[in-house]
Amino acid sequence: RHLCLEWYSMGKTIKKMVHFKYILIILLISCSNVNPREKAKNQCTEDVKFKNLIKEVIDIPKLQQYYNVQTTIEQEQLVILKGSQFKDSIEIMKFGLPVEFLTINEISSRNIKAFIEFKEIQMKGDSANVYFRYDIQGIWCKCKYFLVDCNWRLDSVHLWEN
């Protein structure tokens, strides 16, 4: 009888261990299954949205042909006029080099001829409107974007030469 009670007690302990193991596994699985969209949404700050928008704007396919002037005037880096919409410089690349964000005084003192000037950058919720010019080529551009998982997608672009 004593042996039976030991086996019975040991069986209950094993059952508890198995239940604990299942609870632990369920807990680990539920913690590791954090919704990736929610995680990305939490990391999609206004600064990240702004940086991604500027990167998308300078990469507009219709605009690329006009950058050839950079080679002609021997200006390797793309320059953006640092207006009031820019708190700090943004770390983005173009032509394999960092984009330079300069004030009008810096542009003048360095005799830079090719630069993008943003006239309007308006981000509202999941949409954005951008209006800019690339004066050395006489280019003006208005474009609209929509946001998908913190990445901007071009909705429409109107580019014209002045």
Side-chain angles (χ1 to χ4, degrees):
R1 186 167 202 246
H2 180 67
L3 189 59
C4 285
L5 284 174
E6 258 184 56
W7 277 103
Y8 177 75
S9 178
M10 196 163 73
K12 283 178 93 174
T13 304
I14 291 172
K15 272 187 177 178
K16 285 181 184 176
M17 288 173 45
V18 168
H19 284 111
F20 178 75
K21 182 177 161 185
Y22 285 129
I23 290 170
L24 187 61
I25 289 170
I26 290 169
L27 184 63
L28 288 174
I29 289 171
S30 67
C31 288
S32 67
N33 281 341
V34 174
N35 185 342
R37 273 184 189 246
E38 279 301 314
K39 188 176 180 183
K41 204 174 197 178
N42 293 338
Q43 295 172 349
C44 190
T45 64
E46 290 301 308
D47 288 343
V48 170
K49 286 182 195 177
F50 190 79
K51 174 184 175 179
N52 291 349
L53 180 61
I54 299 303
K55 179 64 178 147
E56 285 300 315
V57 169
I58 66 174
D59 287 341
I60 293 173
K62 286 183 176 182
L63 186 60
Q64 302 313 297
Q65 64 184 328
Y66 297 100
Y67 288 139
N68 64 6
V69 74
Q70 299 280 145
T71 308
T72 306
I73 63 170
E74 297 178 359
Q75 181 180 317
E76 292 180 351
Q77 287 178 282
L78 181 65
V79 174
I80 293 178
L81 175 62
K82 188 175 181 180
S84 61
Q85 38 312 43
F86 297 95
K87 297 176 204 162
D88 297 308
S89 293
I90 302 170
E91 293 182 19
I92 53 176
M93 305 288 282
K94 188 69 181 170
F95 317 125
L97 298 167
V99 173
E100 283 192 278
F101 291 83
L102 304 174
T103 65
I104 194 66
N105 291 336
E106 292 169 318
I107 288 171
S108 295
S109 69
R110 290 172 52 183
N111 201 27
I112 292 173
K113 296 181 179 26
F115 60 92
I116 291 176
E117 179 183 0
F118 286 94
K119 295 295 192 175
E120 178 184 330
I121 302 172
Q122 184 181 47
M123 294 187 332
K124 210 175 224 179
D126 289 350
S127 65
N129 294 306
V130 181
Y131 179 46
F132 67 95
R133 70 182 188 157
Y134 187 56
D135 205 38
I136 194 165
Q137 292 282 49
I139 301 301
W140 288 81
C141 186
K142 279 189 175 186
C143 42
K144 292 182 180 187
Y145 291 86
F146 61 94
L147 192 65
V148 177
D149 296 332
C150 207
N151 293 303
W152 294 100
R153 302 287 183 248
L154 188 60
D155 185 32
S156 66
V157 62
H158 179 66
L159 186 135
W160 67 96
E161 294 181 28
N162 216 7

